[in-house]
Amino acid sequence: MAQKSISIRIDGQLITAEEGQTILQAAKANGKYIPALCAMDGLTAVGACRVCLVEVSGVDRLFPACTTPIQDGMSVVTNSPRLTRYRRISVELLLVERNHTCAVCVSNGHCELQSMATALGVNTVGFAYNYPKLSVDTSHPRFVLDHNRCILCSRCVRVCAELEGANVWNISSRGIHSRVTSEMNEKWGLATTCTNCGKCVQSCPTGALAEKGWGVEEMVKKIGTVSSLAHSRGAQV
């Protein structure tokens, strides 16, 4: 059954979108860019990073574009000084909560967080660094998990559950103590449910999940390939 078409405005331009789409989906379908880090085409949206915040006419608060459904007649602003300020804050908070030393990271030059910070002009941070020294899990024969690079976007959790169906990953604890964990906090290499598919690695926007054997700047993720696979298998888009 065809979806009902509705009209909304994005940055003043009238566009036609499908009922049930989120603001982010409608914007992307019409060639309009809204920055996001936790969102990934083909996976359910969770609104974790808050980088995709947008303004909706008539409402004072900001809305995450990835989880906010469109409504007929809605008018959305995706770029303004206010939004830039809030997006910079979100990125700065991600940077101070973990040790993102780009110069020695395998994803240097290919990192979505790094690219987002550059696009927003984040050269320094205005908050005190608050990250502990975290462990690096090298127990898996093919892959490595570096908690120091993780931004808790939960892409790995969702792709493993929704696309691979293995449910290896979860996020444990809360706040600054939150960690991506495998099988009830078991070492990744001992996780019996892991299929070694690597989809979680390819979905990771930073160097937190990587393949072994790559040096600095050599790890290039194949996020588009995973998204295409999700669409072909009928995962939620």
Side-chain angles (χ1 to χ4, degrees), residues 42-233:
L43 301 181
T44 54
V46 294
C49 72
R50 317 308 282 184
V51 175
C52 70
L53 291 174
V54 295
E55 298 173 356
V56 175
S57 179
V59 186
D60 184 59
R61 69 185 181 92
L62 302 179
F63 291 83
C66 67
T67 58
T68 303
I70 59 174
Q71 298 179 20
D72 196 24
M74 173 184 280
S75 181
V76 178
V77 174
T78 68
N79 190 16
S80 70
R82 181 190 182 195
L83 290 173
T84 299
R85 183 171 69 254
Y86 274 88
R87 287 167 181 165
R88 284 176 58 94
I89 290 172
S90 295
V91 170
E92 286 184 33
L93 288 173
L94 290 175
L95 290 171
V96 301
E97 288 178 353
R98 296 294 168 96
N99 183 4
H100 297 284
T101 308
C102 300
V104 293
C105 181
V106 293
S107 290
N108 185 21
H110 311 287
C111 171
E112 292 183 45
L113 176 62
Q114 185 184 49
S115 297
M116 189 71 68
T118 300
L120 292 171
V122 179
N123 299 315
T124 59
V125 295
F127 305 98
Y129 284 98
N130 193 32
Y131 59 82
K133 185 176 181 180
L134 300 176
S135 62
V136 178
D137 185 353
T138 61
S139 61
H140 195 283
R142 292 180 55 200
F143 310 120
V144 59
L145 165 61
D146 186 350
H147 289 285
N148 298 282
R149 315 287 190 193
C150 180
I151 62 172
L152 299 171
C153 67
S154 79
R155 282 189 189 177
C156 58
V157 177
R158 286 173 284 152
V159 77
C160 187
E162 298 171 15
L163 186 52
E164 184 63 17
N167 294 285
V168 175
W169 299 105
N170 210 330
I171 295 180
S172 64
S173 195
R174 303 183 67 179
I176 194 67
H177 303 293
S178 298
R179 304 283 185 273
V180 169
T181 56
S182 59
E183 277 196 358
M184 301 297 289
N185 209 24
E186 184 63 88
K187 288 286 187 181
W188 189 4
L190 300 178
T192 57
T193 54
C194 180
T195 62
N196 304 320
C197 70
K199 294 184 183 68
C200 58
V201 175
Q202 299 303 329
S203 302
C204 177
T206 69
L209 292 174
E211 294 180 12
K212 289 183 176 179
W214 294 106
V216 174
E217 303 182 15
E218 292 182 346
M219 185 71 213
V220 180
K221 305 295 179 66
K222 301 175 182 177
I223 294 174
T225 301
V226 179
S227 291
S228 297
L229 183 60
H231 283 293
S232 66
R233 291 189 179 181

Side-chain angles (χ1 to χ4, degrees), residues 3-78:
Q3 293 288 335
K4 177 183 176 182
S5 293
I6 61 177
S7 297
I8 66 171
R9 288 188 182 273
I10 297 182
D11 296 330
Q13 181 179 343
L14 186 65
I15 67 170
T16 300
E18 294 181 358
E19 188 176 38
Q21 285 185 316
T22 63
I23 295 174
L24 185 63
Q25 289 171 330
K28 184 175 181 179
N30 286 272
K32 296 186 176 297
Y33 172 72
I34 298 176
L37 285 172
C38 67
M40 180 176 161
D41 195 23
L43 301 181
T44 54
V46 294
C49 72
R50 317 308 282 184
V51 175
C52 70
L53 291 174
V54 295
E55 298 173 356
V56 175
S57 179
V59 186
D60 184 59
R61 69 185 181 92
L62 302 179
F63 291 83
C66 67
T67 58
T68 303
I70 59 174
Q71 298 179 20
D72 196 24
M74 173 184 280
S75 181
V76 178
V77 174
T78 68

